[in-house]
Amino acid sequence: NSVIATQPRNYVVMEVKANLVASERAELLKRFSFPFYRKVAQVTVGDPPAEYTAKVQEEMLKQKQEEAEKAWSQRKAEQETKRAAEANLREAKRAAEAKLKELQDAQKAREAATFKEESKLDAEMKTESVEEGAVKKEEVKEEEKP
């Protein structure tokens, strides 16, 4: 209240009851007693003109449309972000599955190569054992001959 008296600015006092009672209105006007204050009272009662109502409704409609468009674009952006994240996740999953399959194929190839080597070694060992057996038989026959 003391600031009002020292700083000249435009003030709007929205005191309906206080402005209707003469004693309270006079007390309120004492706060603005300096000459640089201009006191203006304006009372508006009833429905506003049709032009004003149409203008206000048009502005409110524009504001609601802007808010709806903003919310729609925000939802659309969120959906696109979600789709992109899901696509990235699917792509990463496919890549991981492909890598896993590649590793499994390499493991199978190594196992097959190992199996082939083992079968070759087994075959060689069998042929060597057969040859050794034949050599032993010959040695036994030679020992029996003298």
Side-chain angles (χ1 to χ4, degrees), residues 126-146:
K126 284 182 183 178
T127 55
E128 287 178 7
S129 65
V130 169
E131 290 173 0
E132 287 178 9
V135 170
K136 284 184 180 180
K137 282 183 185 178
E138 288 177 13
E139 288 177 3
V140 170
K141 283 183 185 179
E142 287 178 9
E143 287 179 8
E144 289 178 3
K145 282 185 184 180

mmCIF file of all heavy atoms in Angstrom, residues 126-146:
data_model
loop_
_atom_site.group_PDB
_atom_site.id
_atom_site.type_symbol
_atom_site.label_atom_id
_atom_site.label_comp_id
_atom_site.label_asym_id
_atom_site.label_seq_id
_atom_site.Cartn_x
_atom_site.Cartn_y
_atom_site.Cartn_z
ATOM 1 N N LYS A 126 43.792 -97.871 -38.203
ATOM 2 C CA LYS A 126 43.308 -99.204 -38.558
ATOM 3 C C LYS A 126 44.194 -99.810 -39.630
ATOM 4 O O LYS A 126 44.557 -100.986 -39.554
ATOM 5 C CB LYS A 126 41.860 -99.131 -39.053
ATOM 6 C CG LYS A 126 40.862 -98.953 -37.951
ATOM 7 C CD LYS A 126 39.458 -98.927 -38.505
ATOM 8 C CE LYS A 126 38.446 -98.668 -37.404
ATOM 9 N NZ LYS A 126 37.076 -98.599 -37.897
ATOM 10 N N THR A 127 44.536 -98.986 -40.626
ATOM 11 C CA THR A 127 45.402 -99.516 -41.691
ATOM 12 C C THR A 127 46.764 -99.858 -41.128
ATOM 13 O O THR A 127 47.352 -100.878 -41.493
ATOM 14 C CB THR A 127 45.548 -98.516 -42.851
ATOM 15 O OG1 THR A 127 46.015 -97.281 -42.350
ATOM 16 C CG2 THR A 127 44.253 -98.345 -43.583
ATOM 17 N N GLU A 128 47.268 -99.007 -40.212
ATOM 18 C CA GLU A 128 48.562 -99.314 -39.595
ATOM 19 C C GLU A 128 48.470 -100.575 -38.767
ATOM 20 O O GLU A 128 49.370 -101.425 -38.791
ATOM 21 C CB GLU A 128 49.022 -98.150 -38.711
ATOM 22 C CG GLU A 128 49.484 -96.947 -39.485
ATOM 23 C CD GLU A 128 49.875 -95.795 -38.570
ATOM 24 O OE1 GLU A 128 49.910 -95.983 -37.331
ATOM 25 O OE2 GLU A 128 50.122 -94.709 -39.100
ATOM 26 N N SER A 129 47.362 -100.720 -38.024
ATOM 27 C CA SER A 129 47.217 -101.920 -37.199
ATOM 28 C C SER A 129 47.046 -103.146 -38.083
ATOM 29 O O SER A 129 47.547 -104.220 -37.763
ATOM 30 C CB SER A 129 46.063 -101.765 -36.217
ATOM 31 O OG SER A 129 44.840 -101.676 -36.900
ATOM 32 N N VAL A 130 46.352 -103.000 -39.195
ATOM 33 C CA VAL A 130 46.196 -104.127 -40.118
ATOM 34 C C VAL A 130 47.551 -104.468 -40.716
ATOM 35 O O VAL A 130 47.927 -105.642 -40.822
ATOM 36 C CB VAL A 130 45.164 -103.782 -41.226
ATOM 37 C CG1 VAL A 130 45.190 -104.813 -42.333
ATOM 38 C CG2 VAL A 130 43.781 -103.654 -40.618
ATOM 39 N N GLU A 131 48.306 -103.437 -41.094
ATOM 40 C CA GLU A 131 49.645 -103.666 -41.657
ATOM 41 C C GLU A 131 50.548 -104.295 -40.603
ATOM 42 O O GLU A 131 51.312 -105.223 -40.893
ATOM 43 C CB GLU A 131 50.248 -102.362 -42.161
ATOM 44 C CG GLU A 131 49.576 -101.824 -43.404
ATOM 45 C CD GLU A 131 50.090 -100.450 -43.789
ATOM 46 O OE1 GLU A 131 50.984 -99.906 -43.088
ATOM 47 O OE2 GLU A 131 49.593 -99.903 -44.769
ATOM 48 N N GLU A 132 50.464 -103.785 -39.366
ATOM 49 C CA GLU A 132 51.277 -104.360 -38.300
ATOM 50 C C GLU A 132 50.877 -105.803 -38.056
ATOM 51 O O GLU A 132 51.722 -106.685 -37.811
ATOM 52 C CB GLU A 132 51.127 -103.538 -37.015
ATOM 53 C CG GLU A 132 51.827 -102.214 -37.045
ATOM 54 C CD GLU A 132 51.600 -101.427 -35.763
ATOM 55 O OE1 GLU A 132 51.040 -101.983 -34.785
ATOM 56 O OE2 GLU A 132 51.978 -100.256 -35.736
ATOM 57 N N GLY A 133 49.569 -106.031 -38.113
ATOM 58 C CA GLY A 133 49.081 -107.400 -37.932
ATOM 59 C C GLY A 133 49.603 -108.309 -39.042
ATOM 60 O O GLY A 133 49.994 -109.452 -38.805
ATOM 61 N N ALA A 134 49.620 -107.784 -40.252
ATOM 62 C CA ALA A 134 50.123 -108.565 -41.378
ATOM 63 C C ALA A 134 51.608 -108.786 -41.219
ATOM 64 O O ALA A 134 52.130 -109.874 -41.487
ATOM 65 C CB ALA A 134 49.817 -107.844 -42.689
ATOM 66 N N VAL A 135 52.328 -107.769 -40.759
ATOM 67 C CA VAL A 135 53.763 -107.893 -40.555
ATOM 68 C C VAL A 135 54.023 -108.927 -39.465
ATOM 69 O O VAL A 135 54.921 -109.769 -39.595
ATOM 70 C CB VAL A 135 54.388 -106.524 -40.212
ATOM 71 C CG1 VAL A 135 55.822 -106.679 -39.757
ATOM 72 C CG2 VAL A 135 54.268 -105.571 -41.367
ATOM 73 N N LYS A 136 53.242 -108.918 -38.408
ATOM 74 C CA LYS A 136 53.420 -109.876 -37.317
ATOM 75 C C LYS A 136 53.137 -111.287 -37.811
ATOM 76 O O LYS A 136 53.824 -112.230 -37.461
ATOM 77 C CB LYS A 136 52.520 -109.527 -36.138
ATOM 78 C CG LYS A 136 53.020 -108.352 -35.340
ATOM 79 C CD LYS A 136 52.132 -108.132 -34.131
ATOM 80 C CE LYS A 136 52.637 -106.957 -33.331
ATOM 81 N NZ LYS A 136 51.821 -106.694 -32.170
ATOM 82 N N LYS A 137 52.113 -111.430 -38.634
ATOM 83 C CA LYS A 137 51.802 -112.752 -39.173
ATOM 84 C C LYS A 137 52.954 -113.252 -40.022
ATOM 85 O O LYS A 137 53.316 -114.418 -39.958
ATOM 86 C CB LYS A 137 50.524 -112.704 -40.011
ATOM 87 C CG LYS A 137 49.279 -112.674 -39.197
ATOM 88 C CD LYS A 137 48.063 -112.709 -40.092
ATOM 89 C CE LYS A 137 46.789 -112.563 -39.303
ATOM 90 N NZ LYS A 137 45.600 -112.557 -40.141
ATOM 91 N N GLU A 138 53.496 -112.364 -40.814
ATOM 92 C CA GLU A 138 54.636 -112.756 -41.650
ATOM 93 C C GLU A 138 55.819 -113.132 -40.767
ATOM 94 O O GLU A 138 56.526 -114.109 -41.028
ATOM 95 C CB GLU A 138 55.029 -111.620 -42.599
ATOM 96 C CG GLU A 138 54.052 -111.407 -43.716
ATOM 97 C CD GLU A 138 54.439 -110.229 -44.577
ATOM 98 O OE1 GLU A 138 55.580 -109.720 -44.474
ATOM 99 O OE2 GLU A 138 53.597 -109.793 -45.362
ATOM 100 N N GLU A 139 56.040 -112.374 -39.702
ATOM 101 C CA GLU A 139 57.140 -112.673 -38.794
ATOM 102 C C GLU A 139 56.907 -114.021 -38.121
ATOM 103 O O GLU A 139 57.822 -114.821 -37.950
ATOM 104 C CB GLU A 139 57.287 -111.577 -37.747
ATOM 105 C CG GLU A 139 57.837 -110.286 -38.289
ATOM 106 C CD GLU A 139 57.902 -109.207 -37.218
ATOM 107 O OE1 GLU A 139 57.575 -109.473 -36.022
ATOM 108 O OE2 GLU A 139 58.252 -108.069 -37.558
ATOM 109 N N VAL A 140 55.647 -114.247 -37.755
ATOM 110 C CA VAL A 140 55.323 -115.510 -37.114
ATOM 111 C C VAL A 140 55.534 -116.640 -38.117
ATOM 112 O O VAL A 140 56.094 -117.688 -37.786
ATOM 113 C CB VAL A 140 53.874 -115.486 -36.588
ATOM 114 C CG1 VAL A 140 53.427 -116.871 -36.142
ATOM 115 C CG2 VAL A 140 53.738 -114.488 -35.475
ATOM 116 N N LYS A 141 55.130 -116.468 -39.343
ATOM 117 C CA LYS A 141 55.314 -117.495 -40.373
ATOM 118 C C LYS A 141 56.783 -117.721 -40.624
ATOM 119 O O LYS A 141 57.219 -118.861 -40.807
ATOM 120 C CB LYS A 141 54.625 -117.074 -41.666
ATOM 121 C CG LYS A 141 53.135 -117.240 -41.637
ATOM 122 C CD LYS A 141 52.543 -116.878 -42.974
ATOM 123 C CE LYS A 141 51.047 -116.911 -42.932
ATOM 124 N NZ LYS A 141 50.459 -116.548 -44.191
ATOM 125 N N GLU A 142 57.538 -116.635 -40.651
ATOM 126 C CA GLU A 142 58.971 -116.766 -40.884
ATOM 127 C C GLU A 142 59.620 -117.488 -39.716
ATOM 128 O O GLU A 142 60.535 -118.277 -39.897
ATOM 129 C CB GLU A 142 59.609 -115.390 -41.082
ATOM 130 C CG GLU A 142 59.284 -114.762 -42.403
ATOM 131 C CD GLU A 142 59.890 -113.382 -42.549
ATOM 132 O OE1 GLU A 142 60.699 -112.950 -41.707
ATOM 133 O OE2 GLU A 142 59.535 -112.719 -43.516
ATOM 134 N N GLU A 143 59.172 -117.234 -38.526
ATOM 135 C CA GLU A 143 59.731 -117.898 -37.360
ATOM 136 C C GLU A 143 59.360 -119.369 -37.373
ATOM 137 O O GLU A 143 60.128 -120.214 -36.941
ATOM 138 C CB GLU A 143 59.220 -117.229 -36.072
ATOM 139 C CG GLU A 143 59.823 -115.884 -35.811
ATOM 140 C CD GLU A 143 59.276 -115.255 -34.551
ATOM 141 O OE1 GLU A 143 58.541 -115.880 -33.769
ATOM 142 O OE2 GLU A 143 59.569 -114.073 -34.345
ATOM 143 N N GLU A 144 58.221 -119.697 -37.891
ATOM 144 C CA GLU A 144 57.775 -121.077 -37.915
ATOM 145 C C GLU A 144 58.508 -121.840 -39.016
ATOM 146 O O GLU A 144 58.728 -123.033 -38.918
ATOM 147 C CB GLU A 144 56.269 -121.142 -38.161
ATOM 148 C CG GLU A 144 55.460 -120.672 -36.985
ATOM 149 C CD GLU A 144 53.974 -120.709 -37.265
ATOM 150 O OE1 GLU A 144 53.535 -121.141 -38.320
ATOM 151 O OE2 GLU A 144 53.238 -120.249 -36.395
ATOM 152 N N LYS A 145 58.935 -121.265 -40.057
ATOM 153 C CA LYS A 145 59.587 -121.921 -41.174
ATOM 154 C C LYS A 145 60.941 -122.500 -40.804
ATOM 155 O O LYS A 145 61.262 -123.586 -41.264
ATOM 156 C CB LYS A 145 59.770 -120.922 -42.327
ATOM 157 C CG LYS A 145 58.523 -120.693 -43.102
ATOM 158 C CD LYS A 145 58.847 -119.817 -44.255
ATOM 159 C CE LYS A 145 57.627 -119.455 -45.028
ATOM 160 N NZ LYS A 145 57.855 -118.627 -46.132
ATOM 161 N N PRO A 146 61.760 -122.017 -40.094
ATOM 162 C CA PRO A 146 63.100 -122.634 -39.927
ATOM 163 C C PRO A 146 63.094 -123.889 -39.190
ATOM 164 O O PRO A 146 62.706 -124.861 -39.137
ATOM 165 C CB PRO A 146 63.899 -121.641 -39.160
ATOM 166 C CG PRO A 146 63.098 -120.499 -38.830
ATOM 167 C CD PRO A 146 61.748 -120.769 -39.369
#
